[in-house]
Amino acid sequence: MELPSGDWIWALAIAALLTGATVSVIVLAAVGSIRRSVNEGGARQSQQMRRLTENIAALNAQQRAADGRIQSLTEANRKLAEEVAALNERLRDADSAPRITGTARLLH
């Protein structure tokens, strides 16, 4: 059995090295592309989180303002109800008071 010549081994070694280098470059390019995509996705998510945080802050401010208006309206409604009750009481008192008739009523 004869050993293969040195030229064939060198050609095989060079082909293996070139194949390895090519695979390495492809893998590095793919990893770089994936990394870039992940970074861009992270940046988009971060921007969306910032916008959501701003929207939540604005909605909280609107809710506080609405709560203040509701409280003011509730207080105004309570006062109005008290005034209506007082007017009803005065009307009842006026209805139960003896009526003045005739000339005296006209002067009153």
Side-chain angles (χ1 to χ4, degrees), residues 13 18 43 64 86 102:
L18 288 175
R64 282 191 301 274

Side-chain angles (χ1 to χ4, degrees), residues 69-86:
R69 287 191 300 271
I70 289 169
Q71 189 174 10
S72 297
L73 288 171
T74 301
E75 182 64 22
N77 188 41
R78 185 190 61 76
K79 289 178 182 178
L80 185 59
E82 288 174 359
E83 289 178 16
V84 168

Side-chain angles (χ1 to χ4, degrees), residues 25-41:
V25 168
I26 291 171
V27 168
L28 286 175
V31 168
S33 175
I34 291 169
R35 187 174 180 190
R36 185 174 50 251
S37 295
V38 168
N39 287 342
E40 289 172 357

Side-chain angles (χ1 to χ4, degrees), residues 39-101:
N39 287 342
E40 289 172 357
R44 278 192 304 272
Q45 285 181 343
S46 177
Q47 187 178 18
Q48 287 175 344
M49 289 289 283
R50 257 191 315 276
R51 273 185 277 163
L52 286 173
T53 302
E54 291 169 359
N55 287 342
I56 289 170
L59 288 172
N60 284 338
Q62 289 175 0
Q63 183 178 6
R64 282 191 301 274
D67 287 343
R69 287 191 300 271
I70 289 169
Q71 189 174 10
S72 297
L73 288 171
T74 301
E75 182 64 22
N77 188 41
R78 185 190 61 76
K79 289 178 182 178
L80 185 59
E82 288 174 359
E83 289 178 16
V84 168
L87 285 173
N88 280 336
E89 189 175 325
R90 285 176 55 194
L91 283 173
R92 255 189 321 247
D93 290 347
D95 285 345
S96 65
R99 302 248 183 236
I100 302 172
T101 58

